[in-house]
Amino acid sequence: MNVTEDSTEQCGNSLTRELTQNPLKKIWVPSSTNGLPERHISQRKVCMTNCPTLIVTVGLPARGKTYISKKLTRYLNWIDVPTKEFNVGQYRRECVKIYKSFEFFQPDNEEGLKIRKQCALAALNDVRQFLTDEGGQVAVFDATNTTRERRETIIRFAEQNGFKVFFVESVCEDPDVIAENIVQVKLGSPDYIHCNTEEAVADFMKRIKCYENSYQPLDEELDRDLSFIKIIDVGRRYLVNRVQDHIQSRIVYYLMNIHITPRSIYLCRHGESDLNIKGRIGGDSGLSARGKEFAKALRQFIQSQNIRDLKVWTSQMKRTIQTAEALGVPYEQWKALNEIDAGVCEELMYEEIQQRYPQEFALRDQDKYRYRYPKGESYEDLVQRLEPVIMELERQENVLVICHQAVMRCLLAYFLDKTAEELPYLKCTLHTVLKLTPMAYGCKVESVCLNVDAVNTHRDRPSNVDVSRLPEEALLTVPDHH
Amino acid sequence: IACLCEKGNKQNDLFSDIQNLQMSSKILVGKCSNLTLIVMVGLPARGKTYISRKLTRYLNWIGIPTKVFNVGEYRREAVKHYSAYDFFKSDNEDAVKIRQQCALAALRDVKNYLTEEEGQVAVFDATNTTRERRDMILEFGAENGFEIFFIESVCDDPNVIACNILEVKVSCPDYQDCNKTDAMDDFKKRIECYRMNYQPLDPDQYDKNLSFIKVIDVGRRFLVNRIQDHIQSRIVYYLMNIHVQPRSIYLCRHGESQQNMQGRLGGDSGLSTRGRKFAGALAEFVEEQNLKDLKVWTSQMRRSIQTAEALNVPYEQWKALNEIDAGLCEEMTYEDVRERFPEEFALRDQDKYYYRYPSGESYQDLVQRVEPVIMEMERQENVLVICHQAVMRCLLAYFLDKSADEMPYLKCPLHTVLKLTPVAYGCKVESISLNVDAVNTHRDRPEEVKRGPSILIRRNSVTPLTSPEPNKKPRMEGLDDPIIREVTPAQLTLCSASHTTLGCLICPALSSCFS
């Protein structure tokens, strides 16, 4: 338990408040002795404004709006900005149970127009609830929003509620890209469940036509006071107007780095290390005999995959570098990929941690994501540290990342959209490669075990996380080791 | 690498093994990024030189050797005395010839920098307003295998332009014999000479296959076309975050801490009595400055937060601002370190920038860690950063364009606030001591230290270099004259030890440069 600082001495005419260290996150905060909330300090978060942001997509159907919405939402949530997407198409599907044909979208179909407007308003209502009542920071309003009139409605709505608005428009006239989009995500949509491919494609093309005539793209002149990014031809060109704040700047940077070229990302840990065998965490040991076996097996696996232009990344710790060396190909070392720093617990066994720091051990089980080792790091810190790696992974094509358990969990959580609660318990076993291939709106995962034995290093959350628990209860889930 | 597993755990061996490892990885990996030629485009007084120099400073700080080649300077060398704007008229044949020669000379130096001097990015700072000129540069780039990235600055706001002219043009060597009004007048006519033939980048037709960013109205809007690689992506992000609003940045360390008093490194102790006094003095100082919307940032270490607490204003904690991690040496005195880890102690003095404490960090690591802070500082206006000695040195090196070699020895004493105000192309520094005594924690570079081998640069591990001084070319008679590079006395004094990797390759006075 960390001790409070010494007396509150008066110096000059200012009173220095006492500081206490929050036991979970090891953050120094003024102690609220007079019951006042600690409104004066805040830990650096991405979104420092109190003003929530409403991101509004704009574009004809099959221009990647939903792809962008989902991907952006996933990224923002991963960097700890509570974000949610609101897809108006889904509201429409709730409302109109059965989709008949493109005629629903014809501009003169009054019934259709009425329903679509209602759906938009229902979605906006949920947006308001998310941003105002549920602690949301960013809402992504995913719809065509192709008319100025519709966009003005949204702007008024945002003004009334104190939200900032940022438009993301996708403009594309490449018929190949559009065709590919339709194949990847439209054919499988609930709307076309009863159609064959040709029918679906034909109908969808007519649907796009319904919007084309009334489409008013964002305009450099007419919309010069709005904040927006126009993405042209899947990222060939961007027009960025009036970025207002940090979060918008980050969003723009992210959007400018993503691409849709097919590729695969391979994630794995280093081969089994000497410290792994002894059940010790952290440290910088070398590979065990089995670890070296794995490195060889990894080499064979990579060769069998016949990957074009594979980039290989490692951390700066011996065990990942040794693993990469066995591949016989060029690789890059990233310090940012180093394993989580366990601070005073480095190189200890779980049993020793329980013995020396029982309270820390319990706190960690209570909130493994936010828990920071004394003089070490938390998963939350890891995510911040790894963000540039993710950004570069987005830019790259085929990449193999040889890293560590906690690091791999963070990266995996990003690709598979896992929450902060799930992240620290994702299973990332030694000697197994995860192959991630972006597909439709998500990521396909293939788990390839390279058939070289290794210890298990995964510790599940025990049922009793109370500080008062018995050592046996704390150590219940510790994996076997020598 | 088989030997890496067999060897014992001696720190020193590991250090040199990893050094060797990194060297071998680097050789295997090869050149991580292409050589890039950034080409500025725009009418005079559009901020091209401002952008060139700021961008160069940033790239050097994050470890990408970059240099500016300002054609105007070549012209000033060639034509010793500037008479009037007529020089820039498009029908002034002699002048046109000279200007063309200057551009070519600059490009020759660009080629030399990128191919012979280990430069990675060259910034070609000139108007480059015609397609003809840009086509010539594109050809030059293609011949030499350089990636070309254009940065065009477009602005028609007369206030902005007038302001630019006053800040940087009126005081330039061209106008040293003029009064302000005449200078302003002449410069405006100069702009007109270019305007008639100005062909802006055309993203829809002529230039649609080029890689460029068009900066419109000082960052209100950007048009970004065909970003090709990582470095262009970073450049674009940087350009989109900088602004020209007047503001001040205040840097200081936490108040004296208990560990400071004991001469110990690192740790997470609280303020001493004098440290608390400083915090109070800082509060008064901040109030006196009477700033609009001051943002206050601290690290997550107790001493920095305690200092901020005394200000009684909201502040934000950044883990990225934590002091350098001294690893196994945390909380030791320098004497302890010298006793317990003599090899480490010596290594650190050999190369303080690259040296990483065992299980800790190096200044090089710090720069990478602190980069997002710099990016956010660029976005912000008035900011006070209460941090630590090594961190403050990193930040200061960025703002004052100090090299990797100088950075670890910058003087950042306790209880002193540095006020940085961007002015013209650089930064004005005011050092304000708040008159509260404190221990001195500064260790100078030891005298007879043999310079160690410089560790190879890894991408994503950063190595700031001072933005090299622009080349001063001797007056040219003709294009065919060989350019003889002489080291003038002026150049020698500019040549600090920072130029070890680059400048000293061309500087004959190598050994005497080490301070």
Side-chain angles (χ1 to χ4, degrees):
Chain A
M1 187 42 145
N2 283 290
V3 189
T4 33
E5 176 56 346
D6 47 25
S7 57
T8 42
E9 235 191 64
Q10 281 204 317
C11 37
N13 43 14
S14 64
L15 186 70
T16 329
R17 290 187 285 180
E18 285 181 35
L19 289 184
T20 53
Q21 195 177 45
N22 167 291
L24 183 78
K25 295 174 78 164
K26 314 296 188 292
I27 305 274
W28 289 102
V29 293
S31 52
S32 42
T33 41
N34 34 13
L36 283 175
E38 296 122 9
R39 217 184 294 134
H40 272 195
I41 54 98
S42 40
Q43 193 186 345
R44 176 73 200 172
K45 283 188 170 315
V46 176
C47 237
M48 287 320 303
T49 55
N50 292 319
C51 205
T53 305
L54 175 56
I55 297 178
V56 181
T57 63
V58 179
L60 294 173
R63 263 51 176 188
K65 298 183 301 298
T66 302
Y67 175 80
I68 289 171
S69 301
K70 286 184 184 280
K71 204 169 160 77
L72 187 56
T73 300
R74 176 162 58 88
Y75 169 70
L76 291 173
N77 278 314
W78 187 75
I79 61 170
D80 213 12
V81 179
T83 306
K84 191 167 168 184
E85 23 132 18
F86 298 83
N87 177 292
V88 175
Q90 251 159 258
Y91 284 73
R92 189 258 306 156
R93 273 184 279 274
E94 285 295 306
C95 195
V96 181
K97 293 294 175 188
I98 300 169
Y99 173 78
K100 297 213 190 72
S101 80
F102 75 96
E103 289 167 347
F104 179 82
F105 291 96
Q106 276 177 318
D108 53 3
N109 180 342
E110 284 197 28
E111 179 71 23
L113 281 172
K114 198 164 146 225
I115 294 176
R116 287 156 68 199
K117 182 141 201 220
Q118 277 173 357
C119 290
L121 291 174
L124 282 179
N125 207 29
D126 287 348
V127 161
R128 185 211 334 257
Q129 191 173 337
F130 175 66
L131 295 180
T132 321
D133 302 328
E134 292 172 23
Q137 196 71 45
V138 176
V140 184
F141 187 68
D142 176 18
T144 48
N145 298 315
T146 40
T147 61
R148 199 153 275 129
E149 184 200 354
R150 169 59 55 85
R151 296 196 290 267
E152 241 130 66
T153 311
I154 299 170
I155 293 170
R156 272 197 305 273
F157 161 82
E159 266 164 27
Q160 280 164 6
N161 290 287
F163 306 151
K164 286 189 186 168
V165 183
F166 187 72
F167 292 94
V168 176
E169 181 175 26
S170 173
V171 174
C172 180
E173 289 313 315
D174 184 338
D176 292 331
V177 173
I178 296 166
E180 181 65 22
N181 281 358
I182 297 179
V183 164
Q184 276 230 7
V185 293
K186 300 299 180 186
L187 296 184
S189 127
D191 291 345
Y192 294 113
I193 234 172
H194 299 299
C195 297
N196 68 42
T197 309
E198 278 113 40
E199 288 168 348
V201 171
D203 183 272
F204 200 83
M205 297 303 273
K206 291 194 192 117
R207 209 155 114 176
I208 298 179
K209 276 255 163 315
C210 296
Y211 286 90
E212 263 171 19
N213 288 335
S214 56
Y215 182 19
Q216 293 165 302
L218 288 171
D219 182 76
E220 274 181 53
E221 273 311 299
L222 296 171
D223 299 304
R224 64 176 172 275
D225 289 331
L226 300 181
S227 296
F228 65 83
I229 177 171
K230 202 192 258 276
I231 303 171
I232 299 148
D233 289 337
V234 203
R236 183 149 303 161
R237 196 189 313 168
Y238 305 91
L239 185 73
V240 180
N241 199 59
R242 289 193 185 257
V243 169
Q244 295 174 308
D245 59 19
H246 178 91
I247 189 69
Q248 290 180 16
S249 165
R250 292 285 286 273
I251 290 167
V252 165
Y253 184 45
Y254 183 71
L255 292 177
M256 297 201 323
N257 281 316
I258 61 181
H259 67 78
I260 55 168
T261 312
R263 50 83 169 252
S264 288
I265 295 167
Y266 298 80
L267 298 181
C268 72
R269 290 167 66 187
H270 52 83
E272 183 190 67
S273 74
D274 290 323
L275 285 179
N276 283 146
I277 295 180
K278 297 187 186 140
R280 294 183 176 281
I281 63 173
D284 195 13
S285 58
L287 296 180
S288 66
R290 298 194 296 197
K292 290 180 203 157
E293 278 302 308
F294 165 73
K296 291 197 199 117
L298 182 63
R299 181 201 181 117
Q300 280 174 355
F301 170 71
I302 292 298
Q303 281 172 350
S304 71
Q305 288 279 300
N306 216 359
I307 307 157
R308 189 179 75 87
D309 285 337
L310 178 71
K311 295 256 159 64
V312 178
W313 295 352
T314 69
S315 71
Q316 283 183 2
M317 300 185 127
K318 206 197 297 196
R319 51 201 189 276
T320 60
I321 296 171
Q322 280 183 294
T323 311
E325 278 288 317
L327 301 181
V329 296
Y331 60 91
E332 252 184 81
Q333 300 180 16
W334 291 69
K335 185 173 195 277
L337 286 170
N338 280 6
E339 181 58 315
I340 192 172
D341 183 356
V344 301
C345 298
E346 277 284 319
E347 303 201 38
L348 297 184
M349 292 187 281
Y350 287 117
E351 292 84 343
E352 289 168 336
I353 302 177
Q354 166 58 30
Q355 200 179 51
R356 301 188 207 183
Y357 310 102
Q359 197 196 29
E360 293 293 326
F361 203 47
L363 281 172
R364 185 156 208 255
D365 284 334
Q366 285 173 23
D367 194 341
K368 196 173 175 190
Y369 182 73
R370 284 173 225 288
Y371 170 81
R372 187 185 278 170
Y373 280 105
K375 304 204 176 151
E377 293 177 303
S378 60
Y379 272 94
E380 199 177 7
D381 296 326
L382 253 196
V383 163
Q384 194 164 61
R385 183 173 24 105
L386 285 170
E387 200 263 353
V389 178
I390 287 293
M391 198 61 87
E392 190 55 21
L393 273 174
E394 285 295 346
R395 289 198 58 80
Q396 292 292 339
E397 292 185 19
N398 293 318
V399 189
L400 163 64
V401 183
I402 304 173
C403 54
H404 306 265
Q405 183 166 249
V407 170
M408 186 164 159
R409 285 170 172 156
C410 289
L411 299 178
L412 201 57
Y414 166 75
F415 288 109
L416 302 185
D417 202 15
K418 299 295 182 186
T419 62
E421 282 64 49
E422 299 169 295
L423 191 162
Y425 296 103
L426 293 175
K427 282 218 163 68
C428 294
T429 54
L430 285 167
H431 300 183
T432 303
V433 181
L434 291 184
K435 177 178 177 181
L436 304 166
T437 313
M439 188 135 294
Y441 293 139
C443 232
K444 180 174 85 168
V445 197
E446 292 164 68
S447 172
V448 183
C449 171
L450 295 193
N451 284 322
V452 177
D453 283 336
V455 296
N456 171 26
T457 57
H458 184 95
R459 188 178 157 266
D460 273 312
R461 189 176 193 267
S463 33
N464 191 346
V465 298
D466 209 70
V467 167
S468 62
R469 67 191 174 175
L470 299 166
E472 303 84 76
E473 291 174 295
L475 298 172
L476 208 56
T477 53
V478 171
D480 292 330
H481 59 84
H482 285 286
Chain B
I1 291 317
C3 66
L4 205 64
C5 337
E6 266 94 82
K7 268 194 179 149
N9 249 341
K10 273 182 67 185
Q11 285 297 337
N12 213 24
D13 281 345
L14 191 63
F15 183 70
S16 51
D17 283 347
I18 289 186
Q19 212 178 325
N20 291 331
L21 201 53
Q22 287 158 2
M23 288 171 82
S24 69
S25 320
K26 180 65 183 175
I27 291 169
L28 286 173
V29 173
K31 259 215 145 37
C32 297
S33 35
N34 297 320
L35 300 174
T36 306
L37 172 56
I38 296 178
V39 183
M40 303 303 299
V41 180
L43 293 174
R46 263 53 176 183
K48 296 184 301 298
T49 302
Y50 175 80
I51 291 172
S52 301
R53 292 174 67 157
K54 202 171 163 76
L55 183 59
T56 298
R57 173 164 58 90
Y58 170 69
L59 291 175
N60 277 312
W61 185 74
I62 62 170
I64 298 170
T66 308
K67 188 168 171 179
V68 180
F69 297 82
N70 177 294
V71 175
E73 269 167 49
Y74 283 72
R75 190 260 306 156
R76 274 185 278 275
E77 281 298 318
V79 182
K80 287 297 176 189
H81 177 66
Y82 171 76
S83 50
Y85 77 95
D86 310 75
F87 183 84
F88 290 97
K89 276 190 168 154
S90 40
D91 54 5
N92 182 340
E93 278 189 28
D94 286 336
V96 164
K97 193 160 161 239
I98 294 178
R99 288 159 66 200
Q100 165 100 326
Q101 282 177 355
C102 290
L104 290 173
L107 282 178
R108 244 190 324 198
D109 285 346
V110 161
K111 175 173 174 173
N112 197 51
Y113 176 68
L114 294 178
T115 52
E116 309 290 327
E117 294 175 29
E118 294 180 19
Q120 222 168 300
V121 177
V123 183
F124 189 65
D125 178 17
T127 48
N128 298 316
T129 39
T130 61
R131 281 188 188 152
E132 186 195 355
R133 171 57 56 84
R134 296 195 294 265
D135 285 344
M136 189 259 284
I137 298 171
L138 283 165
E139 243 183 75
F140 166 82
E143 275 166 17
N144 291 289
F146 304 149
E147 295 289 342
I148 306 251
F149 187 70
F150 291 95
I151 299 177
E152 180 175 27
S153 174
V154 175
C155 179
D156 288 312
D157 182 339
N159 293 327
V160 173
I161 296 165
C163 217
N164 283 357
I165 299 179
L166 278 176
E167 262 219 42
V168 292
K169 302 297 181 186
V170 158
S171 54
C172 108
D174 289 345
Y175 295 112
Q176 56 192 8
D177 300 318
C178 294
N179 66 48
K180 268 198 202 150
T181 331
D182 291 341
M184 175 79 91
D185 204 60
D186 183 273
F187 200 84
K188 285 191 178 155
K189 293 197 186 111
R190 209 154 113 174
I191 299 178
E192 287 314 304
C193 296
Y194 283 93
R195 194 196 293 278
M196 291 186 299
N197 301 322
Y198 182 21
Q199 291 164 302
L201 289 172
D202 173 26
D204 296 315
Q205 285 304 328
Y206 195 83
D207 301 305
K208 64 175 186 270
N209 289 325
L210 301 182
S211 296
F212 65 84
I213 177 171
K214 221 189 242 275
V215 179
I216 299 151
D217 288 339
V218 202
R220 181 147 303 161
R221 197 184 327 151
F222 302 91
L223 194 141
V224 180
N225 202 57
R226 290 190 185 259
I227 299 178
Q228 293 173 305
D229 57 24
H230 175 92
I231 185 71
Q232 290 180 15
S233 164
R234 291 288 283 276
I235 289 168
V236 164
Y237 184 45
Y238 183 70
L239 293 177
M240 297 201 325
N241 281 316
I242 62 181
H243 67 78
V244 293
Q245 298 307 318
R247 49 86 169 249
S248 287
I249 293 166
Y250 298 81
L251 300 180
C252 72
R253 291 166 67 186
H254 52 82
E256 181 192 68
S257 72
Q258 278 150 2
Q259 293 241 328
N260 284 145
M261 290 204 304
Q262 293 166 17
R264 294 185 176 282
L265 307 172
D268 194 16
S269 61
L271 297 180
S272 66
T273 310
R274 296 193 299 194
R276 275 182 244 131
K277 190 153 172 235
F278 165 73
L282 183 65
E284 277 176 30
F285 171 75
V286 167
E287 254 194 70
E288 280 162 25
Q289 293 286 301
N290 209 7
L291 294 157
K292 175 177 87 80
D293 287 338
L294 177 72
K295 292 259 158 59
V296 178
W297 295 351
T298 69
S299 70
Q300 283 184 358
M301 301 185 126
R302 204 200 304 189
R303 51 199 187 276
S304 147
I305 296 168
Q306 274 185 299
T307 310
E309 275 288 310
L311 304 180
N312 234 347
V313 296
Y315 59 89
E316 262 180 63
Q317 300 183 11
W318 290 71
K319 186 172 195 278
L321 286 172
N322 280 6
E323 181 57 316
I324 192 171
D325 184 356
L328 298 181
C329 301
E330 277 284 319
E331 304 199 46
M332 293 187 180
T333 62
Y334 284 115
E335 286 63 51
D336 286 342
V337 178
R338 198 204 303 258
E339 243 180 67
R340 307 229 328 241
F341 303 106
E343 286 159 340
E344 294 295 323
F345 195 71
L347 276 172
R348 187 157 205 253
D349 279 338
Q350 266 181 41
D351 206 332
K352 197 173 174 187
Y353 179 76
Y354 287 102
Y355 171 81
R356 189 184 278 171
Y357 279 108
S359 306
E361 293 178 301
S362 62
Y363 272 89
Q364 190 185 35
D365 296 327
L366 253 197
V367 166
Q368 191 162 54
R369 183 173 23 106
V370 144
E371 198 262 355
V373 180
I374 288 291
M375 196 63 86
E376 189 55 21
M377 278 172 94
E378 286 293 347
R379 290 197 58 80
Q380 292 294 339
E381 295 189 15
N382 292 320
V383 189
L384 162 64
V385 182
I386 303 172
C387 54
H388 306 265
Q389 183 166 248
V391 173
M392 186 164 159
R393 285 169 170 157
C394 284
L395 299 177
L396 202 56
Y398 166 75
F399 287 109
L400 302 185
D401 203 16
K402 299 294 181 187
S403 67
D405 208 68
E406 300 170 287
M407 184 195 295
Y409 296 102
L410 293 175
K411 283 215 164 70
C412 296
L414 287 166
H415 300 185
T416 303
V417 181
L418 292 185
K419 177 177 177 180
L420 305 165
T421 313
V423 104
Y425 294 137
C427 230
K428 180 174 85 168
V429 196
E430 292 165 67
S431 172
I432 302 134
S433 162
L434 295 195
N435 285 323
V436 177
D437 284 335
V439 296
N440 173 22
T441 57
H442 183 91
R443 257 188 93 244
D444 269 312
R445 193 198 301 267
E447 285 302 317
E448 308 95 16
V449 168
K450 247 208 298 218
R451 194 50 56 78
S454 67
I455 300 176
L456 282 179
I457 298 165
R458 306 186 292 272
R459 193 181 66 132
N460 300 312
S461 297
V462 295
T463 310
L465 310 163
T466 302
S467 308
E469 284 296 320
N471 269 341
K472 292 270 188 241
K473 304 315 294 165
R475 167 113 72 122
M476 304 166 316
E477 302 305 325
L479 218 47
D480 303 323
D481 287 356
I483 307 292
I484 300 160
R485 201 183 314 277
E486 284 169 333
V487 180
T488 64
Q491 282 176 317
L492 257 182
T493 52
L494 291 172
C495 196
S496 62
S498 58
H499 291 273
T500 39
T501 47
L502 291 176
C504 288
L505 292 177
I506 53 165
C507 176
L510 180 67
S511 48
S512 64
C513 271
F514 295 148
S515 55

